[in-house]
């Protein structure tokens, strides 16, 4: 796709002593179309040229050389130099690219020969998959798809929470009350009930908590009974998790959880000991990071058991040795920010390639909370994903029954719309923001929602079905698509590749979600202002082809977020 910013930056760079990349980074999108498509703020050159920005703008305009095939007009607005793109050229450029690439429009090879690992979902074994895990899963899955679309060798990792003191608690609870629960019929439900109960017992009696800790130490030491129970808890949990992943069409390349690194932690300690950065503190082995403002990081607890920091360090070394990655993203809530800062700092001492150390990144997202406060499995107030997804599908099914009872593929469409609402709700805002969970907001189908985007897609599909065939691109008169409503659609389609690039540069899938809303809104405006099926064959073909292009990009973009398109609404 032609980069107009780059064309403008190259033309300016021939007149000033500044590299193209820096100039391009300064180029802005004006707030209104009347001010052009791109604007260069000349005050960025004021110190270098020792002139006032308006004078610089005049000088640049008088001397700049840029083909009118790309830029039709240049205007001065105070200290800004405003550039107007040649609209007919833009239409041809966008539509020809979509014609050539179809569903691969917007893809690129920016990730060629680069490997990115994405650690996401990572639910805890023997606990229900609640909506806090859902957000993590949806964000990670969308980043996985987008990185792959841009040519990266992308590895999705589900770092299961299958180790730690909580298993000592669960084992103790099962020892005490296992016969009281029908675990075979509803393993996760019943194990959760045991977990809640043992936590209450731990609060009331310190000795119970000590027994739980001893169980975990036995598990680490390979105790047969504890290991057998632990494997069973894992097996039953994975069955439930997989049902959710199948429903959301989420896939992983690796299910290596914390337990995979049990036999890889001693070497981490040896490396850190040799670097002489470990020390003893109250019987525990720690690394003092106070001089970095990062506090104390425990490597091994006073009872000899490991901690998740040690396992994360072992995972980093294993991943660097195995994949030699360029990026390793951890999609984890911001509450773990200090943990990852500590671990990434200590990773510098593991002897792994510098590019791997520099590629470690914590993709922070906000917490999902109830209106009454934070969710907690041990408190028994977590909303389970199964319940949420089934409720979403159920509500949509009821709406369809009321409004369109004869709809074909009713069940499948209800599933796609309900799941689309939940996925989009998790991605439509900046991911760092906390979310207050509210059933009505999550499943709302008005305004900035997933179902609205699906509705616009179905509208494009209906238009194309009514016509019966897609006109040949070579027969399209692109000059008929330069009216304001059409150009807004074209301008949005043009941005698709840049939006995807921004997503991976900032690991922010909300950019794509907002793009799809903008495209849907602009197409709705185009649809309302321009009758598509008209007597003028050339005009009809041009508008049909634009509708076809919108359909392709909406479907592609939504799929990258993890949303499927229904056939009817």
């Amino acid at each position: 796709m032609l980069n107009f910013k780059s064309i403008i930056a190259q033309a300016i760079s021939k007149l000033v002593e500044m590299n193209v990349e820096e100039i391009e980074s300064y180029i802005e999108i004006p707030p209104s179309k009347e001010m052009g498509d791109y604007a260069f703020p000349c005050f960025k050159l004021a110190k270098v040229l020792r002139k006032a920005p308006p004078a610089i703008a005049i000088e640049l305009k008088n001397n700049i050389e840029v083909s009118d095939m790309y830029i039709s007009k240049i205007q001065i607005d105070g200290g800004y130099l405003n550039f107007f793109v040649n609209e007919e050229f833009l239409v041809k450029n966008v539509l020809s690219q979509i014609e050539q690439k179809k569903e691969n429009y917007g893809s690129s090879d920016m990730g060629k020969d680069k490997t990115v690992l994405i650690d996401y979902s990572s639910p805890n074994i023997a606990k229900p998959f609640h909506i806090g895990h859902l957000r993590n899963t949806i964000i990670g899955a969308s980043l996985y798809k987008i990185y792959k679309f841009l040519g990266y060798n992308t590895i999705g990792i589900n770092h299961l929470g299958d180790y730690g003191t909580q298993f000592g608690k669960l084992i103790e609870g099962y020892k005490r009350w296992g016969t009281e629960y029908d675990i075979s019929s509803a393993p996760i439900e019943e194990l959760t009930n045991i977990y809640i109960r043992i936590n209450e017992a731990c609060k009331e009696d310190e000795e119970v908590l000590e027994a739980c800790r001893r169980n975990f130490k036995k598990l680490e030491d390979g105790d047969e009974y504890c290991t057998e129970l632990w494997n069973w808890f894992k097996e039953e949990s994975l069955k439930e998790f997989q049902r959710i992943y199948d429903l959301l069409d989420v896939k992983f390349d690796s299910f290596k959880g914390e337990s995979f690194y049990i036999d890889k932690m001693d070497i981490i300690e040896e490396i850190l000991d040799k670097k002489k950065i470990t020390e003893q503190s109250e019987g525990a082995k720690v690394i003092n990071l106070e001089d970095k403002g990062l506090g104390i990081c425990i490597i091994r607890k006073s009872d000899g058991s490991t901690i998740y920091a040690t396992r994360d360090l072992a995972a980093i070394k294993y991943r660097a040795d195995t994949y030699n990655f360029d990026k390793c993203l951890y999609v984890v809530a911001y509450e773990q920010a200090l943990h990852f800062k500590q671990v990434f700092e200590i990773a510098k001492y593991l002897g792994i390639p510098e590019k791997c150390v520099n590629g470690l990144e914590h993709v922070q997202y906000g917490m999902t909370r109830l209106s009454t406060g934070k969710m907690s499995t041990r408190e028994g107030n977590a909303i389970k994903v199964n319940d949420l997804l089934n409720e979403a599908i159920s509500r949509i099914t009821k709406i369809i029954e009321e409004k369109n009872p004869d709809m074909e593929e009713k069940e499948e469409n209800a599933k796609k719309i309900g799941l689309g609402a939940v996925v989009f709700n998790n991605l439509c805002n900046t991911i760092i923001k906390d979310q207050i969970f509210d059933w009505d907001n999550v499943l709302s189908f008005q305004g900035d929602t997933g179902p609205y985007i699906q509705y616009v897609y179905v509208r494009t599909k209906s238009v194309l079905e009514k016509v019966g065939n897609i006109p040949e691109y070579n027969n399209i008169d692109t000059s008929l698509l330069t009216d304001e409503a059409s150009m807004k659609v074209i301008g949005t389609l043009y941005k698709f590749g840049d939006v995807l690039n921004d997503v991976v540069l900032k690991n922010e899938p909300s950019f794509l979600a907002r793009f799809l809303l903008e495209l849907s809104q602009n197409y709705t405006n185009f649809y309302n202002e321009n009758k598509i099926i008209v007597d003028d064959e050339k005009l009809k073909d041009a508008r049909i082809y634009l509708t076809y292009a919108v359909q392709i990009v909406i479907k592609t973009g939504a799929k990258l977020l993890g949303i499927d398109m229904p056939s009817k609404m």
Side-chain angles (χ1 to χ4, degrees):
M1 176 63 75
L2 192 70
N3 188 331
F4 287 99
K5 273 190 178 182
S6 179
I7 289 170
I8 294 166
Q10 287 175 33
I12 293 174
S13 71
K14 293 175 181 177
L15 303 175
V16 299
E17 292 183 7
M18 187 180 289
N19 65 54
V20 174
E21 290 76 16
E22 187 177 1
I23 294 171
E24 189 172 340
S25 71
Y26 295 144
I27 295 173
E28 303 171 1
I29 306 294
S32 68
K33 179 69 177 174
E34 291 71 28
M35 299 170 72
D37 297 292
Y38 298 96
F40 178 72
C42 295
F43 63 83
K44 295 289 186 182
L45 299 173
K47 283 187 178 179
V48 177
L49 300 181
R50 299 181 183 232
K51 293 180 182 178
I56 295 171
I58 292 170
E59 187 174 326
L60 288 179
K61 183 178 184 299
N62 289 339
N63 293 284
I64 197 166
E65 293 182 6
V66 58
S67 171
D68 59 6
M69 180 172 75
Y70 306 129
I71 302 298
S72 61
K73 183 170 61 173
I74 303 174
Q75 286 185 345
I76 295 170
D77 184 3
Y80 283 85
L81 200 59
N82 295 340
F83 296 83
F84 293 77
V85 167
N86 181 323
E87 292 184 339
E88 191 170 341
F89 179 83
L90 177 62
V91 176
K92 285 181 179 178
N93 186 254
V94 170
L95 295 186
S96 66
Q97 286 288 314
I98 293 175
E99 168 65 21
Q100 290 170 34
K101 291 193 168 186
K102 301 290 193 301
E103 66 277 0
N104 289 318
Y105 175 71
S107 64
S108 73
D109 60 356
M110 71 178 290
K112 186 180 179 183
D113 299 326
K114 293 179 182 176
T115 296
V116 58
L117 312 186
I118 307 179
D119 181 329
Y120 61 105
S121 194
S122 310
N124 293 315
I125 293 298
K127 291 184 183 179
F129 199 110
H130 64 66
I131 60 173
H133 300 301
L134 176 66
R135 193 164 193 215
N136 170 325
T137 303
I138 288 171
I139 292 167
S142 66
L143 288 174
Y144 177 87
K145 291 180 177 79
I146 294 165
Y147 269 96
K148 218 171 184 64
F149 194 66
L150 296 182
Y152 287 85
N153 174 33
T154 310
I155 312 293
I157 298 173
N158 197 339
H159 187 74
L160 296 165
D162 61 357
Y163 219 59
T165 306
Q166 70 267 30
F167 291 99
K169 289 183 176 181
L170 200 54
I171 290 167
E172 185 64 26
Y174 184 80
K175 282 180 184 178
R176 291 169 180 249
W177 312 300
T179 56
E180 298 177 28
Y181 296 87
D182 186 10
I183 293 173
S184 59
S185 63
I188 298 296
E189 294 281 347
E190 297 292 66
L191 288 172
T192 300
N193 291 333
I194 293 175
Y195 185 71
I196 293 168
R197 187 171 173 183
I198 193 65
N199 267 293
E200 288 300 317
C202 288
K203 288 177 186 176
E204 295 169 6
D205 188 344
E206 183 68 25
E207 179 49 41
V208 176
L209 182 58
E210 282 303 314
C212 296
R213 288 170 178 156
R214 286 194 295 272
N215 286 332
F216 178 55
K217 186 66 171 68
K218 286 180 182 178
L219 179 62
E220 285 202 297
D221 293 340
D223 177 84
E224 186 177 345
Y225 176 75
C226 290
T227 301
E228 186 179 337
L229 274 183
W230 171 70
N231 280 324
W232 180 52
F233 297 158
K234 257 204 319 187
E235 186 180 313
E236 293 300 331
S237 298
L238 284 171
K239 287 177 187 174
E240 181 165 308
F241 297 160
Q242 194 57 54
R243 282 194 289 272
I244 293 166
Y245 295 140
D246 289 344
L247 191 59
L248 292 168
D249 193 27
V250 171
K251 294 179 173 61
F252 300 91
D253 302 295
S254 167
F255 274 89
K256 291 181 173 66
E258 291 184 72
S259 63
F260 177 77
Y261 301 99
I262 297 170
D263 62 352
K264 298 169 180 59
M265 290 186 286
D266 287 348
I267 187 65
I268 296 300
E269 283 192 69
E270 289 175 18
I271 292 170
L272 298 177
D273 287 344
K274 284 180 181 176
K275 297 287 185 179
K276 297 183 178 180
I277 61 170
T278 59
E279 57 187 68
Q280 294 294 316
S281 175
E282 299 180 12
K285 182 177 286 188
V286 304
I287 295 176
N288 188 331
L289 298 172
E290 297 279 10
D291 61 329
K292 309 281 196 232
L294 299 176
I296 303 292
C297 181
I298 298 174
I299 297 301
R300 190 175 287 273
K301 293 190 280 189
S302 57
D303 66 359
S305 61
T306 57
I307 195 167
Y308 57 87
T310 327
R311 295 189 282 278
D312 274 346
L313 287 166
I316 287 171
K317 179 160 175 48
Y318 173 83
R319 292 170 184 179
D321 291 346
T322 304
Y323 299 107
N324 191 28
F325 59 80
D326 296 275
K327 279 187 181 185
C328 182
L329 309 180
Y330 292 78
V331 184
V332 183
Y334 63 64
E335 287 189 331
Q336 295 296 317
L338 176 60
H339 164 74
F340 283 108
K341 285 178 182 176
Q342 289 180 332
V343 168
F344 294 168
E345 181 63 31
I346 297 169
K348 295 174 182 177
Y349 298 93
L350 296 181
I352 61 177
E354 187 177 354
K355 74 163 185 172
C356 294
V357 174
N358 294 336
L360 296 168
E361 189 170 346
H362 178 198
V363 179
Q364 303 180 43
Y365 63 89
M367 302 298 291
T368 301
R369 304 176 187 274
L370 302 174
S371 56
T372 53
K374 185 179 177 181
M375 286 183 297
S376 169
T377 302
R378 68 184 66 182
E379 301 297 334
N381 68 343
I383 294 173
K384 289 175 284 188
V385 168
N386 264 334
D387 293 342
L388 171 62
L389 299 181
N390 289 332
E391 178 69 14
I393 295 168
S394 174
R395 290 194 183 195
I396 294 298
T397 302
K398 286 177 183 175
I399 293 171
I400 292 173
E401 290 285 0
E402 291 170 7
K403 296 187 175 182
N404 193 359
D406 299 323
M407 178 190 286
E408 296 176 7
E409 301 177 346
K410 190 187 306 179
E411 198 173 297
E412 185 63 20
N413 285 326
K415 177 181 165 185
K416 289 177 178 177
I417 298 165
L419 296 179
V422 173
V423 170
F424 194 83
N425 179 263
N426 277 274
L427 298 176
C428 64
N429 294 312
T430 306
I431 61 173
I432 194 64
K433 288 184 177 179
D434 281 350
Q435 284 189 331
I436 302 298
F437 179 82
D438 178 88
W439 280 103
D440 292 331
N441 287 341
V442 172
L443 301 179
S444 170
F445 306 123
Q446 302 297 319
D448 295 351
T449 65
Y452 170 67
I453 290 167
Q454 290 172 318
Y455 171 76
V456 174
Y457 170 83
V458 170
R459 171 174 277 176
T460 64
K461 188 171 182 291
S462 176
V463 169
L464 297 177
E465 286 175 350
K466 192 177 290 186
V467 173
N469 69 294
I470 310 299
E472 291 287 330
Y473 168 74
N474 291 332
N475 296 331
I476 300 299
D477 184 349
T478 52
S479 68
L480 299 174
L481 293 173
T482 54
D483 61 281
E484 186 177 351
S486 299
M487 286 308 303
K488 279 189 175 180
V489 175
I490 291 289
T492 308
L493 291 171
Y494 171 74
K495 294 190 298 185
F496 187 45
D498 287 341
V499 169
L500 295 179
N501 292 348
D502 287 343
V503 170
V504 300
L505 288 173
K506 298 181 181 177
N507 295 311
E508 183 56 77
S510 68
F511 294 160
L512 175 54
R514 304 312 294 186
F515 165 86
L516 290 173
L517 280 173
E518 180 185 344
L519 178 58
S520 298
Q521 289 159 356
N522 285 341
Y523 179 76
T524 298
N525 184 57
F526 162 81
Y527 179 88
N528 291 335
E529 290 191 15
N530 296 290
K531 188 176 180 181
I532 295 175
I533 302 176
V534 293
D535 293 335
D536 185 329
E537 285 294 319
K538 283 190 172 295
L539 184 58
K540 182 180 76 171
D541 285 352
R543 290 175 176 173
I544 288 168
Y545 197 88
L546 183 57
T547 297
Y548 168 66
V550 169
Q551 183 192 60
I552 288 174
V553 176
I554 288 180
K555 186 174 183 179
T556 299
K559 187 176 181 182
L560 291 173
L561 290 182
I563 298 172
D564 283 333
M565 292 295 110
S567 58
K568 301 283 183 185
M569 281 186 82

